[in-house]
Amino acid sequence: MGIDIQHHHVRKNRREAPKSEDPYLRLLVKLYRFLARRTDAKFNQIVLRRLFMSRANRQPLSMSRLVKQMKGRDGKIAVVVGTVTDDNRFHETPKLSVCALRFTEAARNRIVSAGGECITFDQLALRSPKGQNTVLLQGPRKAREAYRHFGAPGVPHSKVAPYVRSKGRKFEKARGRRSSRGYKV
């Protein structure tokens, strides 16, 4: 076998399996790997790919966002490859069928008390093996606090937050930050 000189350093940078050693997650991967191979549904391939993801890329989805996304989609199952969390800023929860990897206790109570149901991915595979009547949802990926600091702070028109020891009058508030102290970017 020859070596492709142009591309011999190129590698596929994607996960082929989860980093986690969690046996339950591994079983789900086994199940969805089978479904992705044996069905022609794109749904199973997407779920499998999301099961491989790191926790930073499997952002939690709040109940308020979930309810907003499911408005006008009665009878469909919301599918979240991640955690569903409670949001105490809103009160009315409609009847929902939700499938997720995890539910916080308050979120589970809220869904069940509204007459809805919380199901797992193996139950979902039995109900809709091709992802029929499902809505695939995801939490906001860039909501992590770390994303506020990505980029270059102090550059003109940059809204990037610098890493500062404290947020007070004495900390990074002088030259370059206000017009009275030289200049303001």
Side-chain angles (χ1 to χ4, degrees), residues 92-106:
E92 308 83 39
T93 308
K95 185 180 172 185
L96 291 170
S97 281
V98 188
C99 169
L101 282 179
R102 284 183 64 244
F103 294 89
T104 60
E105 205 174 329

Side-chain angles (χ1 to χ4, degrees), residues 1 11 62 73 83 100 143 145 161 172-173 175 182 185:
M1 196 175 116
R11 71 186 181 94
S62 69
R73 290 175 169 155
T83 309
E145 201 274 338
E172 300 202 15
K173 289 277 198 267
R175 213 165 154 270
V185 292

Side-chain angles (χ1 to χ4, degrees), residues 7-185:
H7 300 98
H8 72 291
H9 283 306
V10 176
R11 71 186 181 94
K12 290 195 173 95
N13 187 13
R14 60 164 189 251
R15 285 192 180 183
E16 302 291 339
K19 281 260 179 83
S20 168
E21 295 293 325
D22 179 8
Y24 298 107
L25 183 64
R26 293 276 166 147
L27 282 170
L28 281 182
V29 164
K30 219 176 240 189
L31 169 65
Y32 274 91
R33 196 168 259 155
F34 172 82
L35 286 172
R37 191 179 76 245
R38 293 296 296 272
T39 64
D40 55 354
K42 193 87 190 286
F43 173 83
N44 292 322
Q45 292 173 359
I46 294 168
V47 168
L48 179 65
R49 194 177 67 230
R50 289 187 188 179
L51 285 171
F52 295 163
M53 285 182 178
S54 62
R55 265 184 67 187
N57 290 326
R58 284 188 284 111
Q59 287 286 16
L61 185 69
S62 69
M63 280 295 300
S64 56
R65 215 175 258 254
L66 179 70
V67 169
K68 195 188 292 179
Q69 298 279 7
M70 293 304 287
K71 191 167 273 182
R73 290 175 169 155
D74 305 327
K76 290 198 188 303
I77 302 170
V79 180
V80 183
V81 186
T83 309
V84 173
T85 56
D86 187 32
D87 191 343
N88 53 19
R89 294 172 297 181
F90 88 115
H91 305 294
E92 308 83 39
T93 308
K95 185 180 172 185
L96 291 170
S97 281
V98 188
C99 169
L101 282 179
R102 284 183 64 244
F103 294 89
T104 60
E105 205 174 329
R108 188 185 291 276
N109 291 343
R110 184 171 272 211
I111 292 166
V112 172
S113 61
E117 56 177 352
C118 302
I119 64 171
T120 56
F121 274 93
D122 49 324
Q123 291 169 316
L124 179 74
L126 290 171
R127 277 198 209 178
S128 62
K130 288 186 169 186
Q132 318 92 303
N133 290 324
T134 59
V135 180
L136 197 52
L137 300 172
Q138 219 174 10
R141 222 179 264 183
K142 296 222 168 157
R144 238 173 2 125
E145 201 274 338
Y147 277 98
R148 292 182 60 234
H149 303 285
F150 291 170
V155 174
H157 310 300
S158 166
K159 294 282 187 280
V160 177
Y163 285 107
V164 188
R165 182 167 50 120
S166 192
K167 194 179 176 189
R169 173 188 58 80
K170 301 188 284 191
F171 305 97
E172 300 202 15
K173 289 277 198 267
R175 213 165 154 270
R177 282 291 177 187
R178 53 180 69 195
S179 317
S180 61
R181 301 286 182 274
Y183 66 100
K184 185 182 188 316
V185 292

